Structure formats: C-alpha cells, structure tokens
Amino acid sequence: MNNNTPNEPLKETRTRDEIHEDLSGQTKLVTDQGLTADSYSVSDPWINSNRLTEEEEEELSGILVEYDMKKEEIVPGMRAFQRKVSFRKNLIYTAVLAVLTVLYFQAVIKKPDYTIGMVLGGLCLLVILMIWYMPVRHINNTVKAVEMDHMTYRLEISEVGFLILEDSGKYLVRFSTPTVSVIELPVCFTVCVSREKVFIIPKRCIRPEDMDEIRRRMQQGLGDRYVVQEK
C-alpha cells in the first residue's frame, strides 16, 4: 500500500554528485590540454570524464582559469607528478637491479673470465641510469614543446570537480574519482587526473580574489588527496 499522498513529491535521497553522474554521459576524453607522463609509462591516453548536457553546464559552471605554463612551473609540477606516480616503482626496480649488479660483479671477482656476468652487470647499471635519466629528459622535452606552442589553456573549477573546456562542450572530471588528486606547490597546483595525464595550473594565472575559493573547493572535494608541498 502506498502511504504517499497523490500530490506529495518523492524525496530525493541521492547526493548532488550522484544525480549529475546519472544524468551525464560517461566518456573517455582525449584532450590536448594538460601534460602527459613519460611515453613508456602511458597506457591509456584518455581521461575518464562526464560529458555535460547544456542544462548541467549552466548549473555546474565553475571559476574560470585561463593559463599558460612556464619552465619554472612545469619543472616542479612535473617532478611532483612523477614522484607521485612513478617514484616508488622506479625505486623498487633500482633496488632489484642493484642486487643483481652486486651478484654479477661478485661472480666476476671470483671468476675473472666470467664475461657474461660482466656484461649483464654492466647492463643492470645502464638500466638503473636510464630509469632515473628518462624522467628528467621527459621534463626537458615537455618544457621545450610547451615553450614552442605558446598555447593558452582553459578550465573551470566547480564544486564537484574540474571542467575541461573543449570545442565539443564541457567535460567534468570529478573530485570523487579515486585517481584525481592535487599537489599544491609554491608556484602552481599540480592536478593529477590519472597516471598518464596531469594539469599544471600556475598560481600567477589565478585571480587573487578567486584563490581562496578555488583552494577551498579542491580541499573539500578531495580530502586527503589534496596535499601541500613547500618545495
């Protein structure tokens, strides 16, 4: 038996974020905005997002930020991103290869004519060098590419996430997505939207009157996935 009166509206029990998630179309966004991880680390060159309807675009409009990037922002921003997504992995690889190197060279000391051991030990050292050199090279190449393009990027920060502005419309990357996090640095916000894509938003491009509100929205939406680093 229905206890509701005929004219009584049903009470909405879902959160605003859940309502928008039901309404919006899930899509994998491939965008020219943002920076990518090292080419050998990239597996999925897209961002999980929601394509907003016209009604949602009006309701979810956020604080607009138009920005470009300079070397002094890209370098610390990319370093913070790399430390988050690949530092631990690289450290493990280095430890394993270092052990193998020691074992091979110990074998060579005991048996000087063990040529294969010397070659394999040398290869392990070379791989260790490449593990730590390639991220540095990638940052340098990224800086050169950005400085050559002279592009201006646009996004909005809403109450529920980042709005990526594309010619085809707005795409919402939600704060509630587990892979989304922010590292606040002295010169920029490093917005990690996946292990493959990062947005570096320079603080100089944010209006002073918007800074506190943008910071509040990200802190509130991300919780412990919002981290402040002094260096």
Side-chain angles (χ1 to χ4, degrees), residues 50-185:
N50 294 105
R51 171 68 171 88
L52 300 186
T53 63
E54 292 183 1
E55 293 78 9
E56 288 178 307
E57 287 187 10
E58 294 181 3
E59 183 179 351
L60 283 178
S61 60
I63 301 173
L64 176 64
V65 178
E66 295 185 345
Y67 66 98
D68 57 355
M69 291 173 285
K70 297 181 179 180
K71 178 179 180 180
E72 54 266 29
E73 296 146 356
I74 297 172
V75 172
M78 287 294 289
R79 283 177 179 169
F81 175 64
Q82 289 177 345
R83 280 196 298 269
K84 178 177 177 60
V85 302
S86 61
F87 179 78
R88 182 178 299 179
K89 175 189 67 177
N90 290 348
L91 205 59
I92 293 173
Y93 288 164
T94 299
V96 172
L97 290 168
V99 170
L100 291 175
T101 301
V102 170
L103 292 176
Y104 282 128
F105 285 153
Q106 282 181 340
V108 170
I109 292 173
K110 293 179 180 179
K111 188 178 180 182
D113 60 346
Y114 184 30
T115 306
I116 294 179
M118 186 173 295
V119 172
L120 292 177
L123 286 175
C124 288
L125 286 176
L126 179 61
V127 173
I128 290 174
L129 177 63
M130 294 300 293
I131 285 174
W132 297 105
Y133 169 71
M134 292 302 291
V136 175
R137 180 187 177 188
H138 178 69
I139 291 176
N140 292 335
N141 290 340
T142 299
V143 169
K144 292 178 182 178
V146 171
E147 289 179 340
M148 288 178 60
D149 288 341
H150 301 291
M151 291 185 64
T152 298
Y153 303 95
R154 300 169 67 246
L155 57 74
E156 295 179 8
I157 296 96
S158 74
E159 291 284 355
V160 296
F162 300 97
L163 294 169
I164 311 301
L165 310 183
E166 298 286 319
D167 292 338
S168 56
K170 293 183 180 181
Y171 294 81
L172 174 64
V173 180
R174 300 177 181 280
F175 291 142
S176 59
T177 304
T179 56
V180 176
S181 62
V182 170
I183 304 169
E184 181 180 350
L185 300 171

